[in-house]
Amino acid sequence: MAAPPTVLILAAGQGTRMRSATPKVLHDLCGIPMVLWPVRAALAAGAGRVVVVDSPARALDGVLPEGVELTVQPQSDGTGGAARAAAGSIDPDAPVLVLSGDVPLVSAEAIGELLQAHAVGGAGATMATTVLDDPAGYGRVVRDAAGSVAQVVETKEPGDATPEQLEIREVNTGIYVFAGRTLLDALPRLTADNAQAELYLPQVLDILRRDGATVAAHVVDDERLVLGVNDRVALAHVRALAQRAICERHMLAGVTIVDPAGAVIDVDVQVGQDALIEPGCSLRGATTVGEAALIGPHTTAIDSYIGDGARVGPHTTVIDSRIGSRAQVRASWLERATLYDDVTVGPFAYLRPGALLRDGAKAGTFVEIKNSDIGAAAKVPHLSYIGDADVGEHTNLGAGTITANYDGRSKHRTTIGSGVRGGVDTSFVAPVTVGDDAYTAAGSVITQDIPAGALGVARARQHNVEGYTERRAADADRDDEQGS
Ligand code: UD1
Ligand code: CA
């Protein structure tokens, strides 16, 4: 067995064609930065050591998974300069696999096949190539009479390639395997005498040939695996391909996706068997959807957990939330909320960070809840704001319940026991505690604790002005007579 390859992932380029303040390789591709795609492929292919080449701004700090190394290319002097920057990580006795941070869809299998081709081919370097209908912008592969690679000519700027070479449709994918020692020997010999005045990594191939080695081409038949992303048009194209593959993986595992062409399902989303994804859904980030759940149509779930058999209704946005089994959420906005099983939400509820609805709880229409623990089977059915509160089991808060949690300086908690019956239009002025099985009278402003089992009444006593209407009418008649 050959030593496992050292993998260099070139990711320090400026990505000017993206026209973005964000480095190209950090643009999102199905929920993760583009550069993580080749990183993951390399790890899955059994890489010994993965070294990512970053720019001096170290934009990739904190982005790469544990164990993946980062090295800095001091100036942006081309792909050859990027490889030079990683020279210290190259083991002369192991093969070196070079990947590009902007060629994201390369698979572990394709990497394995390339490594295999290199191992058996006996060439000094093996370059992955593919044949494109529209090769614009890619380096073209010039073959010699024996079929080996004679040269790669660049086409990004005019001046490197002849008109005949521009007709070539076989392109360099930017993915290569070298013997470590050979690459280490060639890198210091790169020169920048080309149209871009940069160090071109493919010049290593010329050097190898001059030294008498051969350079083999390994043709990747499925060009989709090796498409480069240089601008946002290519990013959208590659995203569509990645999304299609993600959807196919779920469908083959037993998920119904009604309209895969329109679905947005990030790469790390998990979906249980027999789940049904209706049109227009976005399942983002670390979202997990349970078995036989129904999602959509037009639902967005971000970093959320949706339990088995849950139903997330139309036009709902779910962000960083956890939704339990058989929960029903309709036309609502959920952000970092946790919904246990059999919860009912909406329509038109706004569940903010820290909202926890325990089993069977309900947040009804025009209800806002944040940083609150709503007990099992407790109900907040209508027109309420519950913030910084603990609400016990089976409690029912009437329409228009408000927790006055903020006194202008700091937040205070409202603690409401279990089995409480809150009258409509109750305000709880926190901090305040309500005992189990207590009641509040409608329209009460509760500023003092209510003991268990008591009725809290905190409103002005009603008094009726008898004969008021008649008196008004009489006054009006008199005014009319005086006026005429
Ligand atoms: C490169 C190849 C081209 C190939 C194409 C495949 C060279 C000179 N050309 O062209 O033959 O067809 O990829 O996609 O290699 N990078 C650095 N430091 C730099 C410059 C680039 O790390 O100074 C990184 C970039 O972040 C990127 C990769 O190298 O991930 C490729 O750079 P890019 O400028 O996109 O090269 P291409 O013009 O696409
Ligand atoms: Ca590129």
Side-chain angles (χ1 to χ4, degrees), residues 17 24 102 229-230:
R17 288 165 282 185
K24 173 167 68 178
D102 69 346
V229 174
N230 292 326

Coordinates of all heavy atoms in Angstrom, one line a residue, residues 17 24 102 229-230, ligand 2:
R17 N -13.6 37.4 -10.0 CA -14.8 37.3 -10.9 C -16.1 37.1 -10.1 O -17.2 37.3 -10.7 CB -14.5 36.1 -11.9 CG -13.4 36.4 -12.9 CD -12.9 35.2 -13.6 NE -12.0 34.4 -12.8 CZ -11.4 33.3 -13.2 NH1 -11.5 32.9 -14.5 NH2 -10.5 32.7 -12.4
K24 N -14.3 34.0 -2.4 CA -15.0 33.0 -3.2 C -15.3 31.7 -2.5 O -16.4 31.2 -2.5 CB -14.3 32.8 -4.5 CG -14.9 31.7 -5.4 CD -14.4 31.7 -6.8 CE -12.9 31.2 -6.9 NZ -12.5 31.2 -8.3
D102 N -12.3 25.9 -5.4 CA -13.4 26.4 -6.2 C -13.9 25.3 -7.2 O -14.6 25.6 -8.2 CB -13.1 27.7 -7.0 CG -12.0 27.5 -8.0 OD1 -11.3 26.5 -8.0 OD2 -11.9 28.5 -8.8
V229 N -15.9 27.0 -10.2 CA -16.7 28.1 -9.9 C -15.9 29.4 -9.9 O -15.1 29.6 -9.0 CB -17.4 28.0 -8.5 CG1 -18.2 29.3 -8.2 CG2 -18.3 26.8 -8.5
N230 N -16.0 30.2 -10.9 CA -15.3 31.5 -11.0 C -16.2 32.7 -10.8 O -15.7 33.7 -10.4 CB -14.5 31.6 -12.3 CG -13.4 30.5 -12.4 OD1 -12.8 30.2 -11.3 ND2 -13.1 30.0 -13.5
Ligands
CA2 CA -11.1 28.6 -10.9

